[in-house]
């Protein structure tokens, strides 16, 4: 195409007018004026200016067509226009066409600094830094930006090494420019589109600020009836559909826009929506399917890199930005950060990561199905969708007004009637669930949310409220199973991740909660604060020293699942009609989960506390032995250190052999009965060794000290375990006190589940475990259930305690069936346990079997009463001695009297303690005295008989003889 010679340049005053319009952001007016000039008298400057204006409006395909028309009119000496056209092509990421425009010039103008700058930047965009450095030429005639680009080309070409350029891909075939009249008509169409959108923008914006997105959407829909292909209006309508929680309809509406009428609004926004919905496959496909004229306007490399970055593939994101030879200035920081994240100056590391990420990308799961009905939504479908939305909003607004007025019952009736009339709609079901929750009907609210989730399984708002309801009800297992079954893109929703983190935090698993939060950059501010608190709870900076905390908590979850296998018993019990057994089942499940977390946590604390105490005590023992060796043995510090090391080894060996081997025991009483004498004996032996003559030179003192320190090590070990065990017992009792019914059901259902296998019934170990669980359930029923009921008056409290005691007696009677069963007793045992479980679970405690507490042996006395009785006995025993000592300043007894008073007091204390330990001691003493009298009389009786016989004989002979 040849331009008329008279139209070579536009008038300067008209150029000033165009610049004023662009400064006022009146791009459509500028386009209309330039198109009018070109219709009357085409000129190259107006073509270039119109292309720039269209590019600023996002119409890259029109800008490319105008630039091709202007390129076709270039002459061999039009250096300034050629440079402008090349710059425009470079901005639109078309370096090959920019190079073609510059090559149309003759060689005599290649020395122009502007042409050299354009050629250099073009070669840089083509990935040819050596050719770019050569094209820049002498830097003294270039301006500062060009000199900086020349320096960049010098470094990219190898600096002082100067390596040649690698051959790149062949240039694409040149495209023929269209007719100017066709392009100008297209410009006029878009001018009308822009003016219509600009006229509706204030009204739509005002409606949006008033929180009336439905009215704004209907306003745009009315305008689209006359201009159905207006990209600005389509983009605005899609944005409002997204606000109305219909993102799939928004995406489909924009993707249905014809490519000829498309702009960056109709392609960039759906990609943004797909990324927010975590539909990465669709986002990548949309980027790759962009039309050639639109890809330059929406920055395909940027969207591809952002998609890879959101997928967690930083190397591929860096490669996507690196492949673009004309990076935008705002990309540089992002690319620099990605460069450091992917290895920085270590290309081998980046290569390995690239291979891994490509495998991850190849195995990436497909996107979840859309929530909207299949098919491309037209304006009629969108209008019907908005009508349904308006009807929903009318009902929901009225229900919200009732809820604000604290009338949840009326709001629930309104929503229930609308659902019965119009069918189940997720938004109404969610609000109805909230109204029922306010009325205290949590299980009904949960069923409403489950129904809404069944209608729309991928709706994040329904999922969030369902997870919140499960968390508040304590149904942690159901929440975890629900979340794990969701598709990966749905699981990555920030709201769902935050809700799952709340669930794990409520379960006492802070590391899993921290992992559930995920990347904090996509979380709102309040969730980031909560995540920071969870981070501190999970160890904070000490997490670096923990050994696989995430694996530990996952093992806790697995143990919890294994420990609740007996809850399947709830499925086969004869429940009353209309009773919801699931609620009680999940309550017991939550109780077992708390106990499991507590048990594993205390085990871990004990593990590290014992090892930490052992290390610290061995270090202190070594320091004590070092000081002892330096004091008792006149040797150097090195020999003292060697003696300390040897003594520490002896102490540790004695600890393992004596206290962990010979005196090892399982119970606390056995530990005290064995460990205390062993410790005293060890201390005595060590003390004796310190006075031994061998080994000489103070070695006996070091050896004896090492032996005594072994008892100190054992004492530290015992105290550490005692503190941890005491904390475990206190925490477990706190859980039992908070949920005594759950503890009873856990014990009884465990017996039912384990006793279902006939082989276990003949195993004495299993029987012992069942007897223990029966006693545990009876003790909780007897002691904790009356306290939980908390009868206010003494009469009712005594009656409740009596009924609980009788039920516990009946439960303890089942232990006899376990200890000594007969033929058919196991079936009776199972039936009795099932009745007890049903009675406790349903709350019908009056259905429990009952026996009079006096029919059995005396109940075990509480430990605090035992301790109080022992304290009283000890106080009475030592009272005389303490009184004598305290009264001595007043009585002024002499030494002998004071000594006899102390002896009397000690005798009293010993006798009283003996009588307290054995109340039958007095009878035993009387029996011993009687036996002693009997034996004494038996020894004396023969002597008296002999004397009687002699006297009788002598006297007989006398009188009888007469």
């Amino acid at each position: 195409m040849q331009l008329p010679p008279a139209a070579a340049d536009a008038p300067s005053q008209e150029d000033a007018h165009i610049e004023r319009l662009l400064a006022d952001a009146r791009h459509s007016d500028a386009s209309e004026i330039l198109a009018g000039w070109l219709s009357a008298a085409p000129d190259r400057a107006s073509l270039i200016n119109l292309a720039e204006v269209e590019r600023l409006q996002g119409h890259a395909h029109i800008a490319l067509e105008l630039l091709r028309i202007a390129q076709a009119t270039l002459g061999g000496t039009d250096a300034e226009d050629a440079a402008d056209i090349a710059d425009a092509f470079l901005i639109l990421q078309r370096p090959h066409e920019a190079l073609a425009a510059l090559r149309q010039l003759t060689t005599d103008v290649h020395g122009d600094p502007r042409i050299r700058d354009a050629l250099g930047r073009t070669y840089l965009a083509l990935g040819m830094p050596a050719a770019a450095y050569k094209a820049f030429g002498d830097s003294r005639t270039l301006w500062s930006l060009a000199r900086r680009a020349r320096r960049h080309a010098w470094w990219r070409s190898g600096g002082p090494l100067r390596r040649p350029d690698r051959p790149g891909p062949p240039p694409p075939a040149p495209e023929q420019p269209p007719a100017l009249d066709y392009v100008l008509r297209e410009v006029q169409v878009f001018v009308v589109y822009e003016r219509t959108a600009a006229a509706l923008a204030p009204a739509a914006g005002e409606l949006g600020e008033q929180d009336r997105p439905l009215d704004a959407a209907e306003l745009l829909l009315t305008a689209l009836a006359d201009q159905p292909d207006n990209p600005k209006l389509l983009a605005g309508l899609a944005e409002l559909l997204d606000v109305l929680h219909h993102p799939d309809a928004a995406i489909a509406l924009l993707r249905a826009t014809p490519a000829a009428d498309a702009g960056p609004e109709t392609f960039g926004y759906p990609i943004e929506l797909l990324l927010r919905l975590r539909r990465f496959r669709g986002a990548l496909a949309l980027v790759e399917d962009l039309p050639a004229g639109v890809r330059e306007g929406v920055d395909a490399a940027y969207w591809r890199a952002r998609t890879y970055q959101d997928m967690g593939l930083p190397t591929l994101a860096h490669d996507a930005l690196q492949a673009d030879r004309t990076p935008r200035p705002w990309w540089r920081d992002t690319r620099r950060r990605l460069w450091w994240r992917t290895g920085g100056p270590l290309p081998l590391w980046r290569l390995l990561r690239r291979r891994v990420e490509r495998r991850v990308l190849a195995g990436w799961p497909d996107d979840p199905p859309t929530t909207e009905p299949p098919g491309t939504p037209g304006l009629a479908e969108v209008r019907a969708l908005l009508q349904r939305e308006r009807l929903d909003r009318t009902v929901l607004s009225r229900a919200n007004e009732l809820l604000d007025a604290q009338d949840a019952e009326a709001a629930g009736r309104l929503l229930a009637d609308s659902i019965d009339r119009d069918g189940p709609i997720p938004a109404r079901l969610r609000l109805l669930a909230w109204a029922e929750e306010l009325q205290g009907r949590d299980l009904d609210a949960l069923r409403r949310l489950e129904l809404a989730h069944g209608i729309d399984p991928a709706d994040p708002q329904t999922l969030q409220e369902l997870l919140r309801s499960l968390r508040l009800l304590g149904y942690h297992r159901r929440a975890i199973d629900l979340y794990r079954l969701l598709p990966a893109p749905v699981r990555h929703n920030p709201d769902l991740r935050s809700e799952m983190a709340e669930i794990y935090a409520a379960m006492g698993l802070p590391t899993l909660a921290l992992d559930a939060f995920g990347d904090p950059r996509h979380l709102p501010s309040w969730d980031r604060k909560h995540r920071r608190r969870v981070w501190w709870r999970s160890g904070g900076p000490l997490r670096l020293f923990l050994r696989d905390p995430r694996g530990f908590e996952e093992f806790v979850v697995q143990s919890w699942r294994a420990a609740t296998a007996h809850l399947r018993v709830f499925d086969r019990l004869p429940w009353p009609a209309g009773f919801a057994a699931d609620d009680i089942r999940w309550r017991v499940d939550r109780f077992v989960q708390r106990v499991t977390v507590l048990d594993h946590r205390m085990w871990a604390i004990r593990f590290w506390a014992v090892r930490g105490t052992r290390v610290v005590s061995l270090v202190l023992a070594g320091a004590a032995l070092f000081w002892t060796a330096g004091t008792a043995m006149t040797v150097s510090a090195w020999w003292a250190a060697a003696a300390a090391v040897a003594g520490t080894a002896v102490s540790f060996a004695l600890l393992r052999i004596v206290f962990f081997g010979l005196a090892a025991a399982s119970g606390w009483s056995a530990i005290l009965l064995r460990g205390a004498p062993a410790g005293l004996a060890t201390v005595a032996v060590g003390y004796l060794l310190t006075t031994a003559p061998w080994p000489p030179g103070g070695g006996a003192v070091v050896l004896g000290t090492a032996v005594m320190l072994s008892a100190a090590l054992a004492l530290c070990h015992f105290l550490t375990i005692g503190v941890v065990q005491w904390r475990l017992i206190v925490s477990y009792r706190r859980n039992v006190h908070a949920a005594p019914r759950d503890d009873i059901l856990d014990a009884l259902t465990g017996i039912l589940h384990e006793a279902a296998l006939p082989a276990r019934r003949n195993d004495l170990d299993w029987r012992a475990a069942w007897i223990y669980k029966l006693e545990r359930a009876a003790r909780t029923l007897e002691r904790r259930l009356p306290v939980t009921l908390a009868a206010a008056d003494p009469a009712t409290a005594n009656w409740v305690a009596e009924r609980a005691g009788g039920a516990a007696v009946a439960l303890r009677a089942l232990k006899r069936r376990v200890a000594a069963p007969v033929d058919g007793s196991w079936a009776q045992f199972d039936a009795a346990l099932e009745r007890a479980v049903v009675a406790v679970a349903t709350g019908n405690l009056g259905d429990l079997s009952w026996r009079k507490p006096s029919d059995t042996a005396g109940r075990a006395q509480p430990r605090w009463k035992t301790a109080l009785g022992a304290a009283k006995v000890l106080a009475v025993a030592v009272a005389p001695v303490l009184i004598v000592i305290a009264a001595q300043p007043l009585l002024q007894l002499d030494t002998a009297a004071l000594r006899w008073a102390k002896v009397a007091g000690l005798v009293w204390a010993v006798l009283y303690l003996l009588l307290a330990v054995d109340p039958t001691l007095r009878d035993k003493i009387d029996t011993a005295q009687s036996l002693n009298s009997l034996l004494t009389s038996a020894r004396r009786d023969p002597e008296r008989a002999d004397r009687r016989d002699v006297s009788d004989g002598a006297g007989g002979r006398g009188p009888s003889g007469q």
Side-chain angles (χ1 to χ4, degrees), residues 761-778:
R761 296 177 178 178
N762 198 27
D763 192 329
L764 298 183
D765 292 336
W766 280 106
R767 289 190 189 181
W770 298 337
I771 289 174
Y772 167 76
K773 289 183 178 180
L774 283 171
E775 178 59 31
R776 165 185 147 196

Side-chain angles (χ1 to χ4, degrees), residues 679-690:
L680 293 176
T682 304
V683 172
V685 170
Y687 179 74
L688 292 176
L689 285 176
T690 57

